[in-house]
């Protein structure tokens, strides 16, 4: 895929029943789904919005918790996977080809947060990450045990740069992640030392209160929000889907 090195290019939900959870994401995100024939690992569905593929739903394998993951685009998966190890991370699944899709590796950073590396076969750029576009990912947030070390790791691996930091009192800094002048997310210290570091994601919705109501009506849980964001235009809710996967939603609020 013709995306900048280090850009998020795909999102994937590992869940116990990809078929059953489709109704939830259709009602909340407006996604439609198509099965991927002969998908490695079993049941896999591609989620699209307005004809653009943005995410995949995959049958969970040997994992106790449904969870969202990110694929980070690289020019050379094998070289990048070797660099993950050289920088103190782990390669959980060695570089592997998916015919007609691309080459990927499943990795963990030195603090333990999981992510994928991928080089897609398509010449078309991915639009899975598109801030402020309903149905697409709008934010990539790393919750980690060592913010400084994580920034160094991803900077050396992918060229990410440290942006401005927003102080959050006892919670430490909320540090923005930059790639070629574009803000792609942020990194923060974990508020719970017993929770392993992980990536968290926000998806854009047309209106935040309507989305929160759709979450509840479809069997999910709104854990927090709506909370207004510093830009003064968007609001955020933190939710859990019916199978236990956590994520965030962002969007404008008509009531405001």
């Amino acid at each position: 895929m013709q995306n900048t090195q280090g850009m998020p290019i795909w999102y994937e939900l590992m869940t116990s029943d990809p078929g059953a959870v489709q109704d939830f994401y259709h009602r909340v995100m407006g996604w439609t789904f198509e099965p991927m024939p002969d998908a490695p690992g079993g049941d896999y569905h591609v989620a699209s919005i307005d004809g653009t593929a943005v995410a995949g739903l995959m049958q969970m394998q040997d994992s106790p918790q449904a969870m969202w993951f990110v694929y980070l685009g690289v020019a050379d998966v094998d070289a990048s996977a070797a660099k993950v190890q050289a920088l103190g991370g782990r390669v959980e699944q060695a570089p592997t080809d998916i015919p007609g899709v691309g080459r990927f590796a499943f990795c963990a950073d030195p603090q333990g947060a999981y992510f994928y590396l991928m080089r897609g076969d398509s010449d078309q750029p991915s639009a899975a990450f598109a801030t402020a576009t309903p149905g697409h990912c709008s934010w990539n947030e790393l919750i980690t045990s060592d913010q400084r070390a994580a920034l160094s790791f991803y900077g050396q691996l992918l060229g990410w740069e440290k942006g401005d930091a927003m102080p959050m009192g006892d919670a430490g800094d909320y540090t923005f992640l930059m790639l070629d002048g574009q803000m792609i997310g942020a990194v923060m210290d974990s508020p719970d030392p017993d929770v392993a570091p992980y990536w968290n994601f926000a998806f854009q919705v047309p209106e935040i209160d309507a989305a929160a109501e759709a979450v509840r009506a479809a069997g999910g849980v709104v854990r927090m929000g709506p909370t207004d964001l510093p830009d003064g235009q968007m609001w955020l809710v933190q939710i859990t889907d019916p199978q236990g996967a956590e994520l965030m939603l962002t969007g404008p609020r008509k009531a405001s």
Side-chain angles (χ1 to χ4, degrees), residues 115-148:
F115 62 95
Y116 287 90
L117 298 171
M118 187 170 191
R119 168 67 181 180
D121 287 343
S122 172
D123 289 333
Q124 297 299 315
S126 166
F129 175 63
T131 58
T133 303
H136 297 243
C137 184
S138 58
W139 196 245
N140 306 277
E141 185 177 84
L142 175 62
I143 293 89
T144 186
S145 57
D146 190 334
Q147 190 174 146
R148 180 177 296 180

Side-chain angles (χ1 to χ4, degrees), residues 6 33 35 40 47 85 108 138 143 158-159 178 204 212 217 243-244 253 255:
F33 298 88
Q85 293 178 307
S138 58
I143 293 89
L158 300 169
M178 309 295 295
Q204 185 76 4
Q243 294 181 17
R253 194 178 198 185

Side-chain angles (χ1 to χ4, degrees), residues 5 7 15 19 35 51 78 85 93 132 137 165 192 215 227 236 253:
Q5 169 94 1
M7 183 65 70
T15 188
D78 295 72
Q85 293 178 307
Q93 182 172 351
C137 184
D192 186 349
V215 167
T227 303
L236 176 144
R253 194 178 198 185

